[in-house]
Amino acid sequence: MKKLTILLFLLSVSLTHSQEIGILKYAGGGDWYSNPTAIPNLIQFCNENINTAIKAKPQTVEVGSTDLFQFPFVHMTGHGNVFFSDEDAENLRKYLTSGGFLHIDDNYGMNQYIRKELKKVFPNQELKEIPATHPIFKQPYSFPKGLPKIHEHDGLRPQALGLFHENRLVLLFTFESDLGDGWENKEIHNDSDEIRLKALRMGANIVHYAFKN
């Protein structure tokens, strides 16, 4: 009965808030608020190029809040520590298994912390690398080699890692790529137009997948 209630709630929300993005606020001291121009720029790009109608201003949502269920797509980023309480982890698990989607973009330094906290959300799962053949790399833009490299960080190859529920990708963790920096205003990181376009197109693919699945 409880699961049915959540599903009905998500359905009612999807009819009225079908295209809205949330920015996840979490505990632990990490800067969840970093890259403030990234999501607004991604929203503008998507609305202008892939026929979305996402509200221009993203909303902040706490990981343990029932407001989480208002958003079909939630973005999480930062550089440092992440901490989920047991209640946070349970709420996030319900959100993801009831139709929600979380994109985590490592802004450099989050990796070791988020992996530990995700074990609270899905104790029996490990992050799996998503192959370049996955639909998230095919529509609406083609990325035949998978996740693009936007910033160097440690010079390692970029990885798209995921968690699945009933064969649906519910959580995407982009590592050693830093898409969010590529979404920010050009003057912040002085990225070339080519790099920024690559980042925005990959972001549009993520948004497209989240809204369609």
Side-chain angles (χ1 to χ4, degrees), residues 11-128:
L11 178 61
S12 67
V13 164
S14 68
L15 296 174
T16 56
H17 301 278
S18 58
Q19 293 193 323
E20 190 168 8
I21 290 178
I23 295 176
L24 196 69
K25 180 180 180 180
Y26 53 87
D31 53 344
W32 59 268
Y33 45 82
S34 60
N35 290 3
T37 65
I39 295 299
N41 285 347
L42 177 62
I43 289 171
Q44 181 179 353
F45 181 86
C46 289
N47 287 347
E48 292 176 353
N49 292 278
I50 65 168
N51 299 316
T52 53
I54 307 169
K55 291 183 179 180
K57 184 177 180 181
Q59 301 297 313
T60 298
V61 59
E62 295 189 7
V63 64
S65 172
T66 56
D67 291 341
L68 188 64
F69 293 85
Q70 295 181 14
F71 304 93
F73 180 101
V74 175
H75 175 76
M76 176 181 180
T77 192
H79 295 84
N81 191 34
V82 177
F83 175 75
F84 295 156
S85 68
D86 291 342
E87 292 77 15
D88 290 342
E90 181 180 5
N91 195 56
L92 183 56
R93 180 170 56 252
K94 288 179 179 177
Y95 166 74
L96 295 172
T97 58
S98 300
F101 183 91
L102 175 63
H103 172 224
I104 306 171
D105 190 42
D106 184 6
N107 204 5
Y108 198 42
M110 175 189 277
N111 180 51
Q112 62 178 312
Y113 304 108
I114 190 60
R115 286 176 180 269
K116 176 171 62 71
E117 297 309 293
L118 289 178
K119 291 299 292 183
K120 298 178 182 177
V121 182
F122 290 107
N124 299 319
Q125 279 206 53
E126 299 289 341
L127 286 164
K128 297 180 180 178

Side-chain angles (χ1 to χ4, degrees), residues 139-172:
Q139 296 179 352
Y141 300 103
S142 177
F143 287 87
K145 295 182 180 180
L147 186 68
K149 185 79 168 175
I150 304 304
H151 280 189
E152 283 304 311
H153 287 181
D154 290 324
L156 303 176
R157 68 182 181 87
Q159 288 184 279
L161 305 166
L163 293 174
F164 293 80
H165 176 70
E166 296 179 349
N167 296 318
R168 179 178 71 92
L169 177 65
V170 298
L171 184 149
L172 172 67

